[in-house]
Amino acid sequence: MKENFKHLASKVAMPAIDMSEVANEVISETSSLLNKEGEIKQGYGMASGIFSLCLAILCFLGVIAFHFPEYLTTPELRDVYNTADIRQIMFFALLFSGGWSFSNILLNRKRNINLAAFFFVMITVALGGSRVHVGDYNHENAYYLGLDWFILDLLGSSIIFVLLEKIFPLYKGQTLFRKAWQNDLIHFGFNHLLIGFMLLVVNFTIHYGFGWLVKHSLQEFIQSIWFFPQLLLCIFIADFVEYWTHRSYHEVPFLWKYHSIHHSSEVMDWLAGSRLHILEIIVTRVLILGALYVMGFSKNVLDMYILIVGFQSVFNHSNVHLNWGPLRYILVTPDFHHWHHSSDDIAIDKNYAAHFAFIDYIFGSAVDSEKQFPDKYGVVGNYVPHGFLKQQLFPFKLQK
């Protein structure tokens, strides 16, 4: 009887699962996503799997940031967002990511990608999930990585601008995972994570480099102006400084080596504007914020300017087209700024302004073309290397 039972058990026994082999498959297929580009086919669990994975990873990073807020969160941002609201967002994100990925696993739809998403959900929940305790932190800590800034901006920007690009596309056939999106995502992350270092350098340089120009009588006059005209003046001063700084990047060969990295993107979307050299970011911010510091604009005006420049810098690179009418001669729009990134002969060294298009018309640097959109983008000759580190080192490379 005992022998018969063993024989029967051997017939119905399930084959042993090699967990290390499963893990290797999951890691291999998930990491291969970083090398892919093009359209995502609907109905196979790939789109929902990628979305679930992205949400799960962002939630995981959010929990890590809450555990070590002194080193992984931005002091200026901590005073703005509400922890309770972040917990709510994280709860629904984990619920959505976990539920969708688990459903795909049961239906055997892109199982490895969804297994990775579900794994990150489980790890995040084990670390506290939406109920994670916020660790203690020193408010005066000057050295930190802006992980919370990276998470919130990536989540917000991707939702807002991807939606706009799908509803009002300039190029209708352009995919979400377009050519070289991985490179620009690394730039995006690097620029956000190092915000603490950049603010430290910028603030130090502004106070010690521009402090001697401060006139309290001028600042008091500026601050006495009503909010809206003061805001317009603030944006105009910032754009006037940026116009000539930007123009210098194009017309001075030494500076062009740094700025050419920004122009090397051959496809324009909301993520393309992140491709920048770190020294260009610092120098541009020092000059613009230095001018605003000397003028002495009110804090609420500066806060609104930061919001506007943050939105417009992303929006102007996005794959969005709207009928702007006469406003296109006043404000910088994606249509206007796309010409600046074009490698068409008629567009070289044109359309420098970041906010007010009329500045380019005043100084004779606006594109004059009967065509509505450019034919091609990027640097003429396509000589800028691909890859984040290579692009950061490119300006220091000796030219033959």
Side-chain angles (χ1 to χ4, degrees), residues 280-397:
E280 179 184 345
I281 297 174
I282 292 174
V283 170
T284 303
R285 288 185 181 178
V286 165
L287 293 175
I288 294 172
L289 295 179
L292 300 184
Y293 168 70
V294 171
M295 297 293 290
F297 290 98
S298 302
K299 183 181 182 302
N300 56 348
V301 167
L302 290 174
D303 290 342
M304 182 57 68
Y305 163 73
I306 295 299
L307 289 176
I308 291 172
V309 73
F311 174 83
Q312 205 167 3
S313 61
V314 179
F315 181 62
N316 288 340
H317 292 88
S318 64
N319 180 37
V320 173
H321 169 63
L322 295 167
N323 184 10
W324 298 98
L327 279 177
R328 69 183 184 273
Y329 298 108
I330 301 173
L331 301 177
V332 173
T333 66
D335 294 22
F336 182 91
H337 194 67
H338 274 224
W339 276 106
H340 176 72
H341 279 266
S342 172
S343 54
D344 294 1
D345 291 340
I346 198 171
I348 302 299
D349 299 337
K350 300 289 185 180
N351 289 16
Y352 294 115
H355 303 292
F356 292 127
F358 64 79
I359 295 178
D360 277 288
Y361 288 102
I362 290 173
F363 292 106
S365 53
V367 169
D368 182 16
S369 174
E370 295 180 358
K371 294 190 302 180
Q372 190 171 11
F373 309 122
D375 291 328
K376 53 188 177 180
Y377 298 93
V379 175
V380 177
N382 195 26
Y383 53 84
V384 177
H386 297 285
F388 173 77
L389 286 177
K390 289 181 179 179
Q391 288 173 352
Q392 294 298 318
L393 294 173
F394 173 70
F396 308 107
K397 183 180 178 180

Side-chain angles (χ1 to χ4, degrees), residues 66-120:
F66 273 154
H67 276 293
F68 305 100
E70 182 175 359
Y71 304 103
L72 298 177
T73 61
T74 312
E76 293 81 2
L77 200 58
R78 284 198 299 257
D79 297 330
V80 176
Y81 60 74
N82 187 294
T83 304
D85 293 337
I86 300 299
R87 292 185 191 280
Q88 286 275 47
I89 294 171
M90 188 180 295
F91 172 78
F92 287 108
L94 287 170
L95 186 65
F96 180 86
S97 178
W100 209 342
S101 59
F102 188 67
S103 299
N104 283 331
I105 293 169
L106 292 179
L107 296 171
N108 201 26
R109 290 152 48 99
K110 286 298 176 183
R111 199 171 184 192
N112 289 334
I113 303 266
N114 286 282
L115 275 171
F118 195 72
F119 170 78
F120 272 104

Side-chain angles (χ1 to χ4, degrees), residues 237-300:
I237 294 294
D239 205 12
F240 185 81
V241 173
E242 181 158 4
Y243 173 89
W244 288 107
T245 303
H246 195 175
R247 189 162 180 166
S248 299
Y249 282 132
H250 280 256
E251 298 182 0
V252 179
F254 171 75
L255 298 178
W256 171 249
K257 289 193 296 183
Y258 295 88
H259 190 58
S260 61
I261 293 164
H262 182 60
H263 278 265
S264 64
S265 182
E266 298 176 67
V267 183
M268 296 295 288
D269 68 357
W270 68 275
L271 196 56
S274 301
R275 190 183 297 194
L276 290 160
H277 195 279
I278 185 173
L279 291 182
E280 179 184 345
I281 297 174
I282 292 174
V283 170
T284 303
R285 288 185 181 178
V286 165
L287 293 175
I288 294 172
L289 295 179
L292 300 184
Y293 168 70
V294 171
M295 297 293 290
F297 290 98
S298 302
K299 183 181 182 302
N300 56 348

Side-chain angles (χ1 to χ4, degrees), residues 30 44 92 124 170-172 187 199 238 286 290 293 322 335 355:
T30 305
Y44 296 91
F92 287 108
T124 303
L170 175 61
Y171 299 107
K172 295 182 180 180
H187 276 277
L199 284 176
V286 165
Y293 168 70
L322 295 167
D335 294 22
H355 303 292

